[in-house]
Amino acid sequence: MPHKSGKTRHPRRKPTKRKTARIKLADAITDREPEDSSTLKRAPVPRIFLLSPANASGIRAQLILREGASFPLALRLRDGHLTLGEAFSFISGLYFRGKLAYARAFAQPPPNTAGVLVITACGGLLSPEMPITRNALCAISSAPVAVSEERYRIPLERDARLVAGQVGSPCEVVLLGSIATPKYVEPLLKIFGERLLFPAEFAGRGDMSRGGLMLRCARSGEQLTYVPVATAKRHGPRPPKLPPMPHPRPASPLG
């Protein structure tokens, strides 16, 4: 059989694994879109909340502190099984309940630091999770909340200095309470300075409106706008009335 003339063909070499990996890496780098700096995730800003106290001399406070009170919350308070947050939520109603729900939803405390603290009349800053008795509640509420009252101011300033040392300078300290009078602003501002913030949306609102606003924010996951207390607008026109808060409808028993 005649032999075919021509060049001898050599088998085609397959690319090595290393070369294949280099090609894939180059393709990935070429195809990758440049990252937009606006989409990069930023580290969350450390943030704690200070809540103004409930008025322990009001009608609802008298109900829960009455010697013969027999409703469940009063019995739990008597036995020391009620927390400070639960007691103040009952006494104050919507306002404190809104503050507590909001603070719990959005607190981002530094490690080993409480994210929510309650200002008290003569007990300094206390955790809302602290179990409390009837006698203890009376004791921490026995002084007027006024800058001129040493029983109020000295424990508050003592605890505020401790908190300031724990959280460090990058941490925001948000006051959920009135800034229209100096009772909270004066002792806290000289300790926290520019770190002390306040929701701008509070200006012009009453306590009930603030409480309803914070409950809505806690449910929706949308935070308010924080501004420095030192330069915050402390008074403003009354904002529009909040729309009714939607309540989930119970499921029909018929399915």
Side-chain angles (χ1 to χ4, degrees), residues 152-190:
Y152 160 70
R153 193 186 71 253
I154 291 176
L156 176 59
E157 292 177 346
R158 174 201 65 205
D159 291 349
R161 289 190 184 94
L162 291 174
V163 171
Q166 289 176 345
V167 300
S169 57
C171 184
E172 297 179 348
V173 181
V174 182
L175 172 63
L176 298 182
S178 174
I179 63 170
T181 65
K183 59 185 178 181
Y184 309 128
V185 173
E186 187 174 313
L188 295 175
L189 191 57
K190 68 180 182 181

Side-chain angles (χ1 to χ4, degrees), residues 90-147:
F90 173 81
I91 292 171
S92 178
L94 179 61
Y95 186 31
F96 192 88
R97 189 157 51 91
K99 288 187 290 188
L100 188 56
Y102 184 91
R104 284 172 171 167
F106 299 117
Q108 296 176 152
N112 304 316
T113 305
V116 186
L117 291 168
V118 181
I119 300 168
T120 61
C122 55
L125 295 171
L126 299 176
S127 168
E129 314 303 330
M130 182 186 78
I132 197 164
T133 63
R134 179 182 178 277
N135 290 340
L137 181 58
C138 290
I140 65 171
S141 306
S142 59
V145 178
V147 176

Side-chain angles (χ1 to χ4, degrees), residues 12-20 23:
R12 187 176 182 181
R13 291 183 179 182
K14 295 182 180 180
T16 62
K17 291 184 179 179
R18 182 177 297 178
K19 185 175 181 181
T20 303
I23 294 173

